[in-house]
Amino acid sequence: MRTLMTTSLLLAALLGGCAAPPVSDAAPPSPAKLKVRVLSTLPHDPDAFTQGLEFAGETLYEGTGLVGKSSLRAGPAGATPTVRAELPGLFGEGITVLGPTVWQITWQDGVAIERDAKTLAERGRVGYTGEGWGLCHREGTGQLVMSDGSSKLTFRDPVSFAPTGSVEVGRDRLNELECVGDSVYANVWQTDKILRIDAASGRVTGEIDASGLLTPEERRSTDVLNGIAAVPGTDEFLVTGKLWPKMFRVKFVAA
């Protein structure tokens, strides 16, 4: 009897040792599928090659591109900007506003421009390596997040603009950025798609279908979707595109 019991215990121990260990790092959930719900429509300068869009309070800042047409504007959303600064000889890209400072990056010129948030006057320039596409900053940390058209997001110091780290997203052509809490929203160049990305890990947590905002006739004379600005104090966003005649106040909702 004792021999039978001992054999049973040994068999149980062996079977237990062969059992699969508990899964501690399950595969992350698939990105949520979202779409835009249009709440209202505002006019937008059809000559603005939009590269960056961001609210600071009730003021909407917009950076535009193309050599000879690049600028930074600020004013009420949907109205003529109250202040504007040109960027002669450079191709402007993303922007972000941190209190009294605006950072504006350039495409292939390797220059980040520091500006006064009220007057848009230039305060200084900092060089960087590689291309500049989108730019935003994480509230609370002050950390800048920058895209370069690849699948990587680079973190930068808000004062020196020096790189402090990076994260791999696994999706390329990341363009204009908007930081909201722990997430980064990124336009995907040459598509009507916006990604919601976890800033810490680079994991894509949401895919937003923003197609159908313009009519087929309007799309013929415009360029790509580009420009996301979170509306302060709400869960709403302002979105537009390069050379678009309209901006759209939207919510991102389940598809």
Side-chain angles (χ1 to χ4, degrees):
M1 183 70 176
R2 180 179 296 177
T3 302
L4 180 59
M5 185 179 295
T6 303
T7 302
S8 300
L9 290 172
L10 286 171
L11 182 60
L14 287 170
L15 290 173
C18 293
V23 177
S24 58
D25 53 347
S30 299
K33 299 295 184 181
L34 306 169
K35 63 181 180 180
V36 295
R37 176 189 295 162
V38 176
L39 305 176
S40 61
T41 303
L42 291 78
H44 180 248
D45 180 1
D47 293 325
F49 199 75
T50 305
Q51 303 285 35
L53 201 68
E54 188 172 299
F55 274 104
E58 295 183 355
T59 301
L60 181 66
Y61 289 78
E62 181 174 10
T64 69
L66 300 177
V67 176
K69 294 186 177 181
S70 295
S71 67
L72 179 61
R73 306 118 179 255
T80 301
T82 54
V83 60
R84 175 170 172 157
E86 306 301 325
L87 192 59
L90 299 176
F91 195 121
E93 285 281 349
I95 62 165
T96 195
V97 188
L98 295 90
T101 300
V102 181
W103 281 106
Q104 181 179 24
I105 57 176
T106 54
W107 180 31
Q108 295 179 321
D109 302 290
V111 174
I113 300 161
E114 183 183 3
R115 296 184 180 275
D116 180 274
K118 289 185 177 180
T119 66
L120 306 187
E122 184 175 327
R123 289 176 171 173
R125 299 189 177 193
V126 178
Y128 58 82
T129 302
E131 294 186 356
W133 286 46
L135 190 67
C136 65
H137 74 279
R138 299 180 64 191
E139 291 285 352
T141 68
Q143 183 184 57
L144 302 179
V145 185
M146 179 172 158
S147 63
D148 61 4
S150 71
S151 59
K152 180 179 71 174
L153 295 177
T154 299
F155 305 122
R156 293 184 176 274
D157 183 271
V159 177
S160 67
F161 210 76
T164 59
S166 64
V167 68
E168 176 64 40
V169 177
R171 309 283 188 95
D172 62 1
R173 296 186 292 174
L174 302 178
N175 202 354
E176 211 270 317
L177 306 178
E178 179 74 357
C179 293
V180 181
D182 295 328
S183 296
V184 178
Y185 290 81
N187 280 284
V188 181
W189 185 51
Q190 291 185 323
T191 76
D192 288 325
K193 183 181 292 184
I194 298 170
L195 300 181
R196 185 182 67 200
I197 302 162
D198 178 74
S201 67
R203 183 172 67 88
V204 176
T205 62
E207 296 180 348
I208 302 156
D209 179 1
S211 61
L213 290 172
L214 296 179
T215 67
E217 182 179 354
E218 289 170 330
R219 286 306 300 259
R220 282 196 289 270
S221 58
T222 61
D223 208 298
V224 297
L225 177 80
N226 202 47
I228 322 164
V231 181
T234 76
D235 60 352
E236 301 165 7
F237 294 81
L238 206 62
V239 297
T240 191
K242 302 177 182 182
L243 309 178
W244 282 28
K246 299 173 182 175
M247 295 186 289
F248 300 87
R249 186 163 176 157
V250 303
K251 279 189 175 184
F252 299 146
V253 299

